[in-house]
Amino acid sequence: MTASNLRSAWERISRIDLAALLLAIAGALAYLFEVQGKISDYLKFVGLLAALYLLYRVLAWGRSRLLWSLRNRLIVAGLFIALVPVLLLVLLAVRSAGILYSQLASYLLYEDVQRRKDMLSDIAEHIAAAHGTLPASVSEAESERILAAQAHLVHDRELPDLKIEFSSDASLLRNIASDRQFFAGLLQEGDSLSIISIRAMQEPRGARIVTLRVPVTSDFLATIAPDLGAIQLNLMRRYSGGPRQGVLYTTDSGGQYETIRRLPARNRSLQPALLWIDSPVDVVSRLDSTYVRSDGTVDPVHPVLAVFNARPSQLSSRMFSSLGELRNTYLIAFVLILIAFFVIWSAALATGLVLTRQITKAVDELYRATQYVQAGDLSHRVRIERRDQLGVLGESFNLMTGSISGLIEEQKQRQRLENEISIAREVQDQLFPRALPKVPGVEIEAICKAARAVSGDYYDFIQLSPTHLAIAIADISGKGISAALLMASLQAALRSQVLVDGSEHMSTAELVSRLNKHLVRNTGDDRFATFFIAVYDSATRNLRYTNAGHLPSFLICKDSALHLDKGGMVLGVLEDYCYEEGVVVVAPDSLLVGYSDGLVEPENVYGEEFGIRRLQQAAVHVQGAAPQVVAESLMNAAEEWAGTPEQADDMTVIVARLR
């Protein structure tokens, strides 16, 4: 350091800085020479504060010097970007592991207690079953003694201090189990806790109650959940105000409880740590018991707090005990992946530090290139010196400027495509009937709203004779132009079949079978259509129809509705499928309503579909109106249910008044 630099540094030191330096030196000397006394302790404390102040001043000076250049700023930013996420991930992993181990420890304790409860329940059930199978020559007292002795012989090791009692007093069972004939669970009576199972046995001489009880004591707690460390159960009672014995526990329902007894496990402590990172996990868990007060009243859900700890290594050993011979393999693979992660991270950090030396030049080059583009010179190109990310960025800029004319041409092509789609829409509109047939006693109307520019829904009205009218509606699979092309094919096939002499007497099932063969032979395997056709004879009032997989149209007369669902499967799947024809005699002033699935599938804000039932109710409500009013009303009802003008599917409805 030159004399000028020293002079400049001395000039920047203030009197406060100089005083802090002297205090820091004095405190350091007092610490080194181990000077004792109150003044020395005070000097050490003040010296520590002075040292922290000086450290802050040095860091502030170094920050201003270090971050003066853009390159250094990028290096520091890269360090923060590389280190901070790793630290956050480590903290997140540690916290997640703590939660996982806490939940696992709670599960082990709960599962062991639950296993003992289930064991008592099974013993009570077996005793009840065996009690009724003993010979009549064996007295009741002798049979109960034998059954109790057998249960003790088998289960005393896992259920220490097991008590089995037989009586005719069912008061406790009635209090805690209401109208059930058995109970099993934790039972708290005052400041005592036990695992209990009570079962009623129906005998010819009267009901007998078998009670199995295992007191929860310090010795019992020493036997449960061996993978855990020290365990303590806190027995609670409802807090009613006044002085309390400990910290209040508040349940989710708002009840408050205080501790009345602490029950620690005898001779039980935390296992020794396996590694320095094997820090213990402290857990507070809740067990639910049934509480019987001194006056006999029962609280069916009463908390018992379990406080315990555990070693993560012990829990991990329990968790991965089922891995068998592959356990070490998995551990080695995890360590190798961890090493590879740090190697890759270090390489990425080093690469980032190298790239920061090139960023300033590349950014300046790109900035000057944008100035050329802003001036309208699209011929300027960024010079590419290396094939790295910055080089690719420069190349992308060159490609961007070179493709502007191409984008303009693509915009023109897109405009031409939109014009072609508009023409396709106009052509499709010509496929729908432009003039409604005139059949005596029949009024018809239809509305079709496409979800896209062109529709996959199809409807048609064809007059077969002065008194015969064919009504058809279909829904083509898919949407857009492909569905519209298949619709045109179906329309042409339908009209070629019915616009011949005598077609009014053709079976609708035969007609649908022909259309099905046409679609199978002329479309792909993934294309199909639902189809409904009805032929109405106004002279005889007969309605013949076939429904090929379409949503059932319905015929409304007054407040009743008949669903027209006879027919078969959709068109375009099986070539030789046989369809069925339905025949209905139409009552005067009936209303025929056909529709596509787009009219019944709109969902409201709660995800509920409009549905056929609501559509039918809406039609019944306006059945006396003109067909056009009915069709518009049904469309409006579906749109109001959805609450949005956007359509997910094509919506079509046809309405025919048959007077």
Side-chain angles (χ1 to χ4, degrees):
M1 183 178 291
T2 62
S4 60
N5 290 336
L6 290 174
R7 188 181 306 106
S8 176
W10 176 259
E11 291 175 352
R12 286 195 296 269
I13 296 177
S14 65
R15 293 181 179 180
I16 297 177
D17 298 337
L18 185 59
L21 179 60
L22 294 176
L23 289 173
I25 294 174
L29 292 175
Y31 177 78
L32 291 175
F33 290 103
E34 299 181 353
V35 180
Q36 301 298 326
K38 294 183 178 180
I39 297 178
S40 175
D41 294 340
Y42 178 74
L43 186 60
K44 292 177 184 178
F45 176 72
V46 174
L48 177 62
L49 295 179
L52 293 176
Y53 169 76
L54 291 176
L55 179 62
Y56 168 76
R57 289 282 292 166
V58 171
L59 291 177
W61 175 80
R63 174 181 176 275
S64 62
R65 295 281 296 178
L66 178 65
L67 301 182
W68 180 81
S69 67
L70 177 60
R71 179 175 299 173
N72 292 339
R73 285 176 179 265
L74 292 174
I75 292 175
V76 173
L79 290 175
F80 274 98
I81 292 173
L83 293 177
V84 171
V86 173
L87 294 177
L88 292 177
L89 287 175
V90 171
L91 292 176
L92 179 61
V94 171
R95 183 57 181 165
S96 300
I99 296 174
L100 173 63
Y101 286 125
S102 298
Q103 291 299 109
L104 177 59
S106 299
Y107 171 76
L108 292 177
L109 178 64
Y110 171 81
E111 184 65 19
D112 206 340
V113 174
Q114 185 71 18
R115 184 175 64 85
R116 309 293 177 99
K117 185 199 75 173
D118 294 340
M119 189 179 300
L120 285 181
S121 180
D122 291 341
I123 296 172
E125 183 178 356
H126 292 161
I127 290 176
H131 192 271
T133 61
L134 291 176
S137 59
V138 180
S139 65
E140 183 179 86
E142 182 65 16
S143 67
E144 291 174 353
R145 186 188 63 79
I146 293 173
L147 293 175
Q150 291 176 345
H152 279 295
L153 181 63
V154 176
H155 299 286
D156 272 356
R157 184 175 181 180
E158 290 188 282
L159 300 172
D161 301 328
L162 171 63
K163 298 178 181 178
I164 303 177
E165 299 174 352
F166 296 88
S167 70
S168 300
D169 184 7
S171 59
L172 180 59
L173 180 61
R174 286 195 300 268
N175 286 343
I176 64 178
S178 299
D179 57 347
R180 293 184 300 166
Q181 297 300 309
F182 67 91
F183 171 82
L186 285 173
L187 181 68
Q188 181 179 344
E189 298 171 293
D191 61 351
S192 65
L193 182 68
S194 59
I195 303 177
I196 190 171
S197 177
I198 308 175
R199 179 172 289 273
M201 301 183 297
Q202 299 298 330
E203 299 292 337
R205 289 169 288 182
R208 293 287 288 170
I209 305 299
V210 56
T211 303
L212 290 83
R213 183 190 302 265
V214 176
V216 179
T217 62
S218 296
D219 293 331
F220 175 80
L221 292 178
T223 65
I224 67 173
D227 296 299
L228 305 183
I231 300 176
Q232 175 180 290
L233 294 185
N234 294 334
L235 305 188
M236 319 289 290
R237 71 180 175 191
R238 189 174 292 274
Y239 177 68
S240 57
R244 60 176 184 263
Q245 299 184 17
V247 178
L248 290 181
Y249 171 69
T250 304
T251 62
D252 295 337
S253 60
Q256 290 187 322
Y257 295 84
E258 61 177 345
T259 303
I260 59 174
R261 182 186 176 190
R262 292 176 174 83
L263 188 63
R266 187 181 304 277
N267 298 327
R268 185 156 178 167
S269 61
L270 185 65
Q271 301 91 341
L274 186 62
L275 295 172
W276 62 271
I277 59 174
D278 193 17
S279 58
V281 177
D282 297 319
V283 185
V284 178
S285 182
R286 168 180 168 172
L287 301 174
D288 288 332
S289 67
T290 299
Y291 183 74
V292 179
R293 301 182 180 88
S294 58
D295 59 358
T297 59
V298 175
D299 186 357
V301 181
H302 190 81
V304 175
L305 291 186
V307 181
F308 52 94
N309 54 20
R311 290 286 184 189
S313 59
Q314 191 74 16
L315 296 176
S316 299
S317 177
R318 175 65 181 272
M319 188 188 311
F320 296 106
S321 60
S322 62
L323 296 180
E325 296 299 328
L326 296 179
R327 177 179 179 178
N328 294 332
T329 303
Y330 291 153
L331 181 60
I332 294 173
F334 175 76
V335 173
L336 292 177
I337 292 173
L338 190 63
I339 293 174
F341 169 78
F342 280 105
V343 169
I344 295 173
W345 173 76
S346 301
L349 178 61
T351 303
L353 295 176
V354 172
L355 288 176
T356 53
R357 297 180 178 273
Q358 306 165 2
I359 290 178
T360 53
K361 181 179 179 180
V363 170
D364 182 66
E365 180 71 19
L366 288 172
Y367 174 74
R368 288 189 292 107
T370 57
Q371 298 300 310
Y372 281 100
V373 174
Q374 185 177 1
D377 184 5
L378 301 180
S379 62
H380 180 77
R381 297 292 181 268
V382 176
R383 184 173 56 185
I384 308 300
E385 296 182 352
R386 55 185 60 84
R387 302 300 302 176
D388 56 8
Q389 189 176 13
L390 292 175
V392 173
L393 180 61
E395 184 177 359
S396 299
F397 182 85
N398 293 337
L399 293 174
M400 180 190 68
T401 56
S403 64
I404 291 179
S405 59
L407 292 175
I408 296 175
E409 182 63 27
E410 289 180 6
Q411 179 63 26
K412 294 180 180 179
Q413 293 178 359
R414 186 178 295 108
Q415 185 64 40
R416 288 196 295 268
L417 179 60
E418 291 177 356
N419 293 337
E420 292 175 358
I421 293 177
S422 177
I423 295 173
R425 176 62 180 173
E426 294 177 1
V427 171
Q428 187 184 47
D429 289 341
Q430 302 298 319
L431 299 178
F432 292 112
R434 287 178 289 177
L436 299 179
K438 303 295 184 181
V439 177
V442 179
E443 301 175 16
I444 52 178
E445 187 60 56
I447 299 176
C448 179
K449 292 185 178 181
R452 298 183 181 178
V454 289
S455 171
D457 284 358
Y458 164 63
Y459 70 87
D460 209 346
F461 304 118
I462 307 172
Q463 187 166 359
L464 307 180
S465 73
T467 61
H468 287 80
L469 174 66
I471 301 173
I473 184 170
D475 188 355
I476 313 300
S477 63
K479 301 180 182 65
I481 295 180
S482 62
L485 292 175
L486 185 57
M487 167 204 162
S489 175
L490 181 63
Q491 189 257 12
L494 174 63
R495 286 186 170 259
S496 67
Q497 294 292 329
V498 300
L499 293 179
V500 295
D501 293 339
S503 61
E504 65 272 15
H505 302 297
M506 181 189 300
S507 168
T508 57
E510 174 64 22
L511 175 60
V512 172
S513 297
R514 295 181 182 181
L515 295 178
N516 178 54
K517 290 182 180 180
H518 170 76
L519 288 186
V520 171
R521 295 176 181 179
N522 295 281
T523 60
D525 294 338
D526 59 338
R527 309 300 292 174
F528 61 90
T530 65
F531 184 73
F532 172 84
I533 186 167
V535 176
Y536 176 65
D537 185 357
S538 62
T540 63
R541 306 196 64 81
N542 282 341
L543 179 72
R544 296 180 291 109
Y545 71 91
T546 296
N547 189 334
H550 198 77
L551 293 176
S553 301
F554 47 84
L555 191 65
I556 298 176
C557 181
K558 297 183 180 179
D559 293 334
S560 63
L562 175 64
H563 286 242
L564 308 180
D565 52 5
K566 289 186 179 181
M569 67 182 303
V570 298
L571 304 181
V573 179
L574 297 178
E575 181 175 351
D576 296 326
Y577 186 82
C578 294
Y579 290 88
E580 181 183 359
E581 181 183 65
V583 180
V584 177
V585 178
V586 180
D589 201 27
S590 295
L591 192 69
L592 175 64
V593 178
Y595 53 93
S596 66
D597 56 359
L599 193 63
V600 296
E601 290 179 352
E603 297 180 351
N604 61 9
V605 294
Y606 303 105
E608 298 177 310
E609 286 190 353
F610 183 56
I612 299 176
R613 182 177 59 83
R614 293 186 178 89
L615 179 68
Q616 181 177 314
Q617 291 175 351
V620 170
H621 184 69
V622 295
Q623 63 176 315
Q628 181 176 359
V629 176
V630 174
E632 293 175 350
S633 177
L634 297 182
M635 279 288 184
N636 293 335
E639 292 175 351
E640 290 175 0
W641 177 263
T644 174
E646 297 181 2
Q647 294 179 218
D649 199 358
D650 303 326
M651 300 172 62
T652 302
V653 60
I654 58 175
V655 179
R657 171 76 65 189
L658 308 178
R659 298 194 180 279

